[in-house]
Amino acid sequence: MKRFFILVALFVPVLLNAQAKLSQSVIDDFSNRVAAHYQLPHDSISGYIAEQLTRSGNAGLDIDSTVFDLKKDPVALDAALKYLYQYSDCNRQRFIANLRSLDLQTNSVFPIATYTANKFKGEVKALLDDKKDFLTTYTGPVTGKKPPATIAEVAAANQAAATAPANTSTSAQENTATTTDGSTAPVANTAPAADTRNWEVRPLFQVRTPEQLLEMYGASNVTQHDAINLAGDKEGEAYLIYPDTDNELEVQFDGENGNILTFSHYPSKWKSPYGIKAGDPLDKLIKVNGRPFKLNAFEWTNGGMVSSWNGGALEGKGVIIVLKANNTGDPKQYDQVTGDKTIRSDTPALKKLDVIIESVAFKAAN
């Protein structure tokens, strides 16, 4: 009997700490399978994980880059497992079935199931309650994504677009019209050339030098100027891509603090994070954040700047937004939202002022 208790004393700690850590091969397997499924249209599991990562802030600014390479981000990896466990109603057997549906290797399933169930066993009630709240606003998976392009891929795509001939017909004889005398005459194909430039913003978060910008977009499409803050003070140097056009984009290198990308022109072709662009209406911004937020009143210091996301989806995401009111002719409405104060984005007066995003900046850490 004494020997039995000695054995228990030896093995219980081992059992309690079982699967306290995943092997690198298992991590790589899970990361690769989630990335593969994220490329499938309407994939429910990877779509659910991605949306929860976005709302929780565990994905950082660039959700796609995070989901495509979970193995490089231990915090995001653990969060992904937690949200897959939540997706499975915190039921171990259902969780195992969902892991298998991701086509994981057989020897990866049990270690992940054990690790996840042990790690989040104290959060089951909170996870289930959070899932109920989440599903009230979740509109379904947005998947079918492509892996983020590299700097070299962007440069190649833009170079190809710059050297491509105009999209006009080289065989006018094939395009004819009937004239009044019954004969035919060639008609030139005047359809505009397709714009095949790369408009993804994500690769710009990888850029570290002005030379890389020149490589990606060409010397004729990049200019340097002073970076000016809202108070009108100089804040170093910045670079404009496609300056003086609707697609103008400012890039500021901020060393270890990360790059800052600022949009203040619209309409723009850039595919920006969270789908937020200059010119977007206030209602869209509230919807993306998932709840009303606070902003500085207009006509004052930092007027129109969002001052707090109130714990919404954009909280802590490095999104800096300045709003403006297009309809300022009604003093009864406009005076309610001006001066030295903060106001809520759901203030009734704002709805009548045609408030839109004047500028939006995305700050990504290195």
Side-chain angles (χ1 to χ4, degrees):
M1 191 68 176
K2 185 176 180 180
R3 183 178 297 175
F4 171 77
F5 283 115
I6 292 174
L7 290 172
V8 169
L10 289 172
F11 285 108
V12 165
V14 175
L15 293 173
L16 290 175
N17 290 298
Q19 217 51 63
K21 185 178 180 181
L22 294 173
S23 69
Q24 191 59 50
S25 62
V26 170
I27 290 172
D28 291 346
D29 188 25
F30 179 75
S31 176
N32 293 339
R33 296 320 304 158
V34 171
H37 277 252
Y38 195 49
Q39 297 177 65
L40 303 176
H42 314 298
D43 185 75
S44 59
I45 292 179
S46 63
Y48 184 96
I49 291 172
E51 181 64 18
Q52 279 287 43
L53 286 173
T54 297
R55 296 194 187 192
S56 67
N58 286 299
L61 184 61
D62 186 357
I63 176 63
D64 292 344
S65 293
T66 300
V67 175
F68 272 111
D69 220 351
L70 287 169
K71 60 179 175 286
K72 288 187 176 180
D73 189 336
V75 173
L77 176 74
D78 270 352
L81 290 170
K82 177 174 70 174
Y83 292 126
L84 178 51
Y85 191 48
Q86 180 189 59
Y87 175 88
S88 309
D89 295 325
C90 300
N91 179 290
R92 181 183 173 87
Q93 294 308 313
R94 197 169 299 159
F95 182 60
I96 289 173
N98 286 327
L99 287 171
R100 287 175 174 157
S101 73
L102 287 172
D103 306 314
L104 284 161
Q105 296 178 18
T106 303
N107 57 359
S108 296
V109 173
F110 182 75
I112 290 176
T114 304
Y115 170 84
T116 306
N118 286 341
K119 188 173 184 66
F120 301 109
K121 62 183 177 182
E123 300 180 34
V124 170
K125 185 179 184 304
L127 286 172
L128 294 178
D129 288 343
D130 176 69
K131 183 179 181 181
K132 289 180 182 177
D133 293 338
F134 171 79
L135 292 177
T136 61
T137 56
Y138 183 48
T139 57
V142 181
T143 56
K145 300 296 185 72
K146 293 181 179 179
T150 64
I151 292 174
E153 288 170 339
V154 172
N158 290 337
Q159 178 63 27
T163 58
N167 184 25
T168 55
S169 174
T170 56
S171 180
Q173 292 81 0
E174 296 179 2
N175 297 288
T176 60
T178 303
T179 62
T180 54
D181 62 1
S183 61
T184 60
V187 177
N189 180 0
T190 57
D195 189 346
T196 58
R197 287 174 289 180
N198 189 299
W199 293 105
E200 287 286 349
V201 169
R202 291 176 291 164
L204 283 165
F205 293 127
Q206 307 167 21
V207 173
R208 294 294 176 264
T209 67
E211 289 73 22
Q212 289 176 311
L213 287 181
L214 299 179
E215 175 190 349
M216 294 166 75
Y217 301 100
S220 62
N221 293 318
V222 179
T223 61
Q224 179 184 335
H225 78 146
D226 292 337
I228 306 297
N229 62 21
L230 290 174
D233 300 322
K234 181 179 176 180
E235 286 190 336
E237 298 176 344
Y239 297 85
L240 296 178
I241 302 172
Y242 303 126
D244 302 318
T245 72
D246 288 342
N247 297 310
E248 180 178 292
L249 163 59
E250 181 184 271
V251 180
Q252 185 178 3
F253 301 111
D254 196 17
E256 294 181 358
N257 295 321
N259 298 347
I260 304 172
L261 311 182
T262 303
F263 301 82
S264 56
H265 291 243
Y266 52 90
S268 172
K269 294 181 179 179
W270 290 102
K271 299 175 183 177
S272 57
Y274 312 114
I276 303 172
K277 294 184 178 182
D280 281 345
L282 175 62
D283 285 348
K284 177 179 177 180
L285 188 57
I286 295 174
K287 184 177 180 181
V288 171
N289 190 52
R291 64 177 62 180
F293 49 84
K294 293 181 180 179
L295 63 142
N296 299 326
F298 301 108
E299 308 293 346
W300 208 260
T301 304
N302 294 336
M305 176 180 281
V306 174
S307 58
S308 170
W309 293 110
N310 276 351
L314 296 177
E315 185 77 51
K317 302 294 179 61
V319 182
I320 305 166
I321 285 181
V322 177
L323 298 158
K324 74 172 183 177
N326 285 326
N327 298 334
T328 60
D330 185 348
K332 288 185 178 180
Q333 303 297 330
Y334 194 50
D335 288 351
Q336 294 179 43
V337 294
T338 58
D340 185 13
K341 59 187 178 184
T342 59
I343 55 178
R344 283 175 57 97
S345 61
D346 56 355
T347 300
L350 292 175
K351 294 183 178 181
K352 301 179 180 180
L353 296 174
D354 186 22
V355 176
I356 64 170
I357 296 175
E358 181 175 30
S359 69
V360 52
F362 301 98
K363 184 177 179 66
N366 284 330

